Amino acid sequence: MTALVTRTDVDGVATLTLNRPESLNALSPSMFVELRAHVDSISGATDTIGCVVLRGAGRSFSAGNDIKAIQGGDRAPSAHFQAETIDAIEALPQPVIAQVQGHCYTGALELALGCDFIVAGESARFADTHGKWSMTPTWGMSQRLPRRVGAARAKQMMFTGTPLSGREAVEAGLANLCVADDGLESTVAGMAATIIANSWHTLRADKQLVNEGQQFALREGLAYERRTSPGAGPDMAERLKAFGSR
């Protein structure tokens, strides 16, 4: 049986691929079960995995929630399993890059928003279409999208359902970068390589401090950083020595 989500580890980077290209990687409950297993495994692999890339096979990242699969009886293990899986991606110790080409609609956008940042191809189209189907978000759209692009822009996307192109997504602050589709994979691979060349101790600390710090006002956030920043990592002396020898 073909895996719905594949994992490839190369030089400290784990690439998770949504693997239903024939259905534009529609997010079935069974796909989320496989995705969650990979995420949980990566969470405990901080010695061997320093960065994660989440991508879709074929011409789309994902067209969104697979309504047909649900109508056919596919069920998640619990009521909020998909939302909790996105929470688990957001909580991974390692930085996570969403590599997006083609469709990134609704549930897929919620999934991408669980990543630390998004790199888009020029074919990317980002949209929230809950309103088209008389549905309301439960996977985080109403909370993560405003925090990423601001409340007014989020409301525009949510109220109209109008897609943003990759370049428009960068202008809105939704995506960090937009590149030609044929350079998307190499751009993300280069970015991941640059990330893992830094101290993994610092990467994990930075992610935790930024994510948790967003829950506070500035003064409380500054106090949180001083209180919880873990300090120098075990590789600091080696890195400083290497710098001094150049």
Side-chain angles (χ1 to χ4, degrees):
M1 185 174 179
T2 303
L4 301 177
V5 180
T6 64
R7 173 179 170 182
T8 304
D9 295 355
V10 178
D11 297 331
V13 179
T15 299
L16 300 179
T17 302
L18 308 178
N19 191 36
R20 300 182 68 204
E22 73 287 347
S23 62
L24 300 179
N25 299 315
L27 300 170
S28 67
S30 295
M31 177 183 276
F32 264 98
V33 170
E34 292 191 19
L35 178 61
R36 180 64 169 275
H38 287 303
V39 170
D40 288 347
S41 175
I42 290 169
S43 179
T46 53
D47 290 340
T48 56
I49 301 299
C51 184
V52 181
V53 174
L54 179 62
R55 63 182 296 275
R59 61 190 180 95
S60 287
F61 178 74
S62 171
N65 202 4
D66 191 341
I67 304 300
K68 290 183 179 179
I70 296 171
Q71 290 173 336
D74 195 358
R75 293 288 182 269
S78 58
H80 298 293
F81 185 82
Q82 290 94 329
E84 290 165 356
T85 298
I86 296 172
D87 291 347
I89 292 171
E90 187 173 56
L92 277 172
Q94 302 91 342
V96 184
I97 306 170
Q99 177 181 313
V100 176
Q101 77 285 352
H103 303 81
C104 186
Y105 284 5
T106 318
L109 177 53
E110 290 172 303
L111 178 60
L113 286 167
C115 301
D116 292 299
F117 58 87
I118 297 168
V119 179
E122 290 182 340
S123 67
R125 295 294 181 269
F126 300 88
D128 176 22
T129 61
H130 280 104
K132 183 176 181 179
W133 311 110
S134 191
M135 296 178 175
T136 59
T138 59
W139 296 2
M141 186 76 77
S142 69
Q143 301 305 305
R144 291 191 177 97
L145 186 60
R147 285 168 169 78
R148 190 70 65 97
V149 303
R153 175 73 75 158
K155 288 176 182 178
Q156 180 182 352
M157 290 183 67
M158 296 171 76
F159 295 169
T160 68
T162 304
L164 296 183
S165 69
R167 298 203 178 278
E168 289 170 332
V170 172
E171 292 172 2
L174 175 60
N176 285 47
L177 188 66
C178 179
V179 300
D181 279 22
D182 60 7
L184 179 60
E185 184 174 350
S186 62
T187 296
V188 172
M191 191 173 290
T194 299
I195 288 171
I196 64 168
N198 288 316
S199 167
W200 294 12
H201 168 83
T202 302
L203 294 174
R204 293 194 295 267
D206 284 350
K207 180 168 180 175
Q208 177 186 335
L209 291 168
V210 171
N211 284 1
E212 294 299 321
Q214 298 306 297
Q215 312 304 315
F216 304 105
L218 176 59
R219 190 172 298 278
E220 290 76 20
L222 292 171
Y224 170 79
E225 180 187 82
R226 293 169 190 148
R227 184 174 66 252
T228 62
S229 185
D235 55 347
M236 186 183 76
E238 180 181 348
R239 286 174 173 272
L240 290 175
K241 182 179 179 180
F243 176 79
S245 65
R246 291 173 187 167

